[in-house]
Amino acid sequence: MARILCAWSPLWAISNWRRRNPSAAQASPFALIESAKGTRRLSAVDRAGRRLGLYVGQKVTDAAAIAPDLITAEAEPEADALALSALVDWCVRFSPAVAADEPDGLFLDISGVAHLWGGEEALLADFRARLMANGLAFRVAIADTPGAAWALAHYGEDGAIARPGQQIGLLAPLPPAALRLAPETAAQIDRLGLKALAQLFDIPRAPLARRFGIETLTRIDQALGRSKEALTYRRPPNPWFARLAFAEPISAPDDMARVTIDVAAKLCARLEKEGQGARRFELCFHRLDGYVAPLTIGLSLAGRDAARIAKLFAPKLETVDPGFGIEVVTLEAAEVEPVSGRQARLDSLIEAGGAEGLAPLIDRLTNRLGEDRVWKARPVESHVPEQSATPGAPMAPPLAGWDPERPRPLRLFSRPEPLELVMAPIPDDPPVQFRWRGQMHRVRRAEGPERIGEEWWRGAIEDARTTHIRDYYRVEDETGARFWLFRAGIYAPGVEAKWWLHGLFA
């Protein structure tokens, strides 16, 4: 059975603004304001303002009449969203599955991890203590479902823990708004005198749906676990995950390199046991202040060699700022696929020249130069030369698609280069000479033409032009250099032919 922890801060926007503006006055009352439908309204109110009767959504003019000494500042919802995302990343130390509940809350799936703290009570106490140490006051609750945890965190007793299968008793006295209903539906239920969820639970389902809509039934079923509710985790649950926590924070480069090897060995041992390998690994250093420093590497072939993975991470460790110390390191594997056991060859020279010998070199180059710098051309279904190939993974298996009857140059220019002083005996003959980059070339051998037209079916038929047709020739000059050139358009008397060089053969 799943166990969900919900955390909610009614003063999230206020706390986040004050963290971003530590020098601002702390006088009360204080509120954040924003424009809504052309009217300036309160978007967040601190405790002092709430005690005076101020509330979210109230007009600024009305709030100023109630509290003349009200201090206001412009709301920054984008900054609040970024801060919430950072907090979600920070919560990975408690659970690998964390989902934001915008704009001021989050969910943690703590199924199977509470025993690491000695129980759910200890986990909740540690979670709350760490938040308060960072100046964040949250209401928290644990239940079997996201709906029940949300209801208890928002309307129940702070720190409530619903025992497995027993949340209905804690939900019964809560108001209907605890079901996350639409505001108009909650207001209608309240007007009818239904003040507690226990009253809604006693109403037959058919009349309840007719009166308040199917959404009410859905929310009740989600809260009680009768129907599933999917959470959108910022980091989707990944079984290939390893974590190391330290009794004392670390910050020395040698320590960071050592724990990288340790966490890689821990994860790779699991991969080897299951006969799996991964093409991508993400290493995260979790600092004391909550900041997460991620590092990513990729492998050309799926692997699980801990020493090799740690070696690829080593050059990137110097970019990590440990701050006041790192207390947790995590390693996550992605693009996991089966990897069969390989027996080493007796002839090391043969192995070094094979794919496995080339893969470590490609991995070092890719992670140092960038993924877009190391690639292999892959065929694309297009007869237009500049569209017939695309960059692909350097170690990917070959694909069918290259036509041996129509060879293409080893080097294809991104843009064809113009030729000068081109001479051809008749229009459809290959040239006997041409000048390229200031040097004359006399043709000794030639093949062609190969006519290639535009892909007119990809656009409007009226846009098709004969000027987009090319006649390609493979030619060799007196020195043995080979060129791929073409004449643009169909020959017409009195019109000067335009010749271009598109590529070079080896």
Side-chain angles (χ1 to χ4, degrees):
M1 179 179 294
R3 295 293 283 170
I4 305 296
L5 186 155
C6 178
W8 169 66
S9 174
L11 301 176
W12 167 251
I14 296 288
S15 300
N16 192 36
W17 187 91
R18 283 178 170 160
R19 285 168 59 86
R20 298 195 303 269
N21 302 272
S23 60
Q26 299 293 319
S28 296
F30 178 80
L32 299 178
I33 59 176
E34 63 180 354
S35 297
K37 297 181 180 180
T39 303
R40 303 288 284 170
R41 297 182 181 273
L42 305 185
S43 65
V45 183
D46 68 355
R47 292 187 178 89
R50 292 174 185 270
R51 286 195 293 267
L52 294 175
L54 306 184
Y55 56 90
V56 174
Q58 188 177 25
K59 292 183 178 179
V60 174
T61 53
D62 296 341
I66 297 174
D69 58 340
L70 177 66
I71 298 175
T72 61
E74 194 69 25
E76 299 177 352
E78 295 83 3
D80 293 337
L82 290 175
L84 183 61
S85 296
L87 183 61
V88 168
D89 288 336
W90 174 85
C91 286
V92 74
R93 70 192 61 210
F94 292 96
S95 169
V98 187
D101 181 30
E102 297 178 348
D104 51 11
L106 49 87
F107 292 102
L108 287 80
D109 187 343
I110 60 171
S111 305
V113 302
H115 69 279
L116 300 175
W117 280 262
E120 293 178 347
E121 294 83 356
L123 185 152
L124 204 60
D126 186 27
F127 183 72
R128 187 198 301 274
R130 290 177 181 269
L131 291 175
M132 293 182 65
N134 286 278
L136 301 175
F138 274 72
R139 291 175 54 86
V140 292
I142 297 177
D144 291 342
T145 65
W150 191 95
L152 293 173
H154 286 69
Y155 293 93
E157 181 180 354
D158 186 20
I161 299 179
R163 299 305 172 190
Q166 298 180 2
Q167 64 258 25
I168 188 170
L170 295 177
L171 294 177
L174 303 184
L179 290 177
R180 297 174 293 170
L181 300 173
E184 55 273 15
T185 303
Q188 181 184 12
I189 293 175
D190 184 72
R191 285 195 301 268
L192 294 178
L194 301 174
K195 303 297 184 181
L197 290 180
Q199 296 172 284
L200 284 182
F201 295 160
D202 292 336
I203 298 177
R205 294 176 63 85
L208 187 64
R210 285 195 301 268
R211 185 67 185 235
F212 304 115
I214 194 65
E215 179 199 14
T216 304
L217 288 183
T218 301
R219 290 302 191 186
I220 291 176
D221 291 343
Q222 289 175 345
L224 299 181
R226 296 169 183 164
S227 63
K228 300 294 184 180
E229 178 180 0
L231 296 175
T232 304
Y233 297 110
R234 179 172 172 82
R235 294 173 178 268
N238 187 346
W240 306 110
F241 179 87
R243 173 182 183 273
L244 293 178
F246 316 122
E248 295 291 337
I250 64 172
S251 58
D254 291 344
D255 292 337
M256 294 169 60
R258 187 176 65 256
V259 300
T260 300
I261 297 176
D262 293 341
V263 74
K266 184 177 180 181
L267 180 57
C268 289
R270 287 190 53 217
L271 289 170
E272 184 174 4
K273 182 178 179 180
E274 300 293 334
Q276 303 288 324
R279 292 179 178 268
R280 188 170 298 276
F281 293 86
E282 184 179 51
L283 179 70
C284 293
F285 293 95
H286 302 263
R287 301 190 326 195
L288 284 172
D289 59 1
Y291 177 77
V292 179
L295 300 175
T296 303
I297 64 165
L299 303 181
S300 53
L301 294 175
R304 53 177 182 243
D305 186 345
R308 177 180 162 200
I309 293 168
K311 187 176 181 179
L312 293 175
F313 275 120
K316 300 186 177 186
L317 294 180
E318 61 186 20
T319 65
V320 177
D321 178 12
F324 294 105
I326 295 168
E327 59 178 346
V328 174
V329 61
T330 61
L331 181 64
E332 184 176 354
E335 299 182 32
V336 177
E337 60 188 59
V339 174
S340 60
R342 299 184 178 94
Q343 182 176 356
R345 297 174 180 261
L346 295 179
D347 187 346
S348 60
L349 294 178
I350 296 178
E351 183 178 5
E356 292 184 16
L358 183 61
L361 172 62
I362 292 178
D363 293 339
R364 289 196 298 272
L365 293 175
T366 300
N367 289 282
R368 178 168 297 184
L369 303 177
E371 294 184 1
D372 58 337
R373 301 293 184 89
V374 183
W375 51 272
K376 179 175 68 175
R378 307 270 288 173
V380 176
E381 291 186 357
S382 175
H383 63 275
V384 178
E386 57 268 30
Q387 299 177 6
S388 61
T390 186
M395 296 297 293
L399 296 178
W402 302 116
D403 187 354
E405 300 298 326
R406 296 182 177 182
R408 293 295 182 256
L410 180 65
R411 180 185 177 189
L412 187 70
F413 299 150
S414 57
R415 292 185 179 181
E417 299 187 7
L419 299 177
E420 301 172 341
L421 301 179
V422 181
M423 293 182 58
I426 60 175
D428 287 336
D429 272 8
V432 296
Q433 73 170 29
F434 61 89
R435 184 169 70 181
W436 174 55
R437 295 183 178 178
Q439 183 177 356
M440 289 295 299
H441 298 268
R442 297 190 181 277
V443 177
R444 184 174 60 179
R445 296 185 179 89
E447 289 182 309
E450 177 188 348
R451 177 161 290 183
I452 298 178
E454 66 172 334
E455 296 179 336
W456 51 266
W457 56 89
R458 297 184 183 276
I461 187 62
E462 57 269 15
D463 294 335
R465 298 288 186 273
T466 58
T467 55
H468 297 166
I469 292 176
R470 307 172 186 173
D471 285 338
Y472 279 85
Y473 297 88
R474 298 185 296 276
V475 302
E476 179 182 321
D477 68 2
E478 295 175 330
T479 64
R482 297 182 178 182
F483 307 88
W484 203 44
L485 46 85
F486 69 87
R487 185 186 68 240
I490 297 178
Y491 171 76
V495 179
E496 181 182 2
K498 294 183 179 181
W499 289 84
W500 304 82
L501 183 64
H502 204 169
L504 302 175
F505 290 92

